Amino acid sequence: MAPIPEADPDEVLETKPFKFVTGYDARFPQQNQTKHCWQNYVDYHKCVNAKGEDFRPCRQFYLAFRSLCPKAWTDRWDTQREAGNFPARLG
C-alpha cells in the first residue's frame, strides 16, 4: 500500500457545498433513518428498472438515498445487486 502524500499547507482547498435532499416521509418519523435509507435505495432501483434512468421522478429517490446512506452501504448493495444476491426484489 502506497504512503499517503503529505498535504501542501500553501495549497488552497476547494470545497463544494453538500445539500441534504431527503424531504419528509411519514413512514419514517423516528430519528434513526436506516430504514428510510434502505427504502429509498430500493425504490430508486425499482423505479429505474420499471421506467428507465431518464424518468425524472426516480431522481428524488436517488437524491434521498445519497443523502441518507453511508457510501460503504450503497457500495456493498451495488456489489450484491451485480452479483444477483441482493436481499430485495427490484423488478
Side-chain angles (χ1 to χ4, degrees), residues 1-6:
M1 186 169 188
I4 298 173
E6 293 295 321

Side-chain angles (χ1 to χ4, degrees), residues 56-80:
R56 199 148 163 76
C58 294
R59 181 136 175 90
Q60 179 58 36
F61 296 125
Y62 176 80
L63 294 172
F65 91 73
R66 293 287 301 195
S67 293
L68 290 167
C69 302
K71 178 122 174 62
W73 293 4
T74 59
D75 288 346
R76 181 174 180 197
W77 296 337
D78 288 341
T79 303
Q80 289 175 336

Side-chain angles (χ1 to χ4, degrees), residues 11-22:
E11 183 180 351
V12 178
L13 295 177
E14 180 182 340
T15 59
K16 296 179 181 179
F18 182 80
K19 182 179 178 187
F20 285 99
V21 185
T22 58

Side-chain angles (χ1 to χ4, degrees), residues 43-61:
D43 288 345
Y44 170 73
H45 288 287
K46 283 183 178 181
C47 183
V48 167
N49 288 343
K51 301 290 187 175
E53 296 232 4
D54 296 332
F55 190 60
R56 199 148 163 76
C58 294
R59 181 136 175 90
Q60 179 58 36
F61 296 125

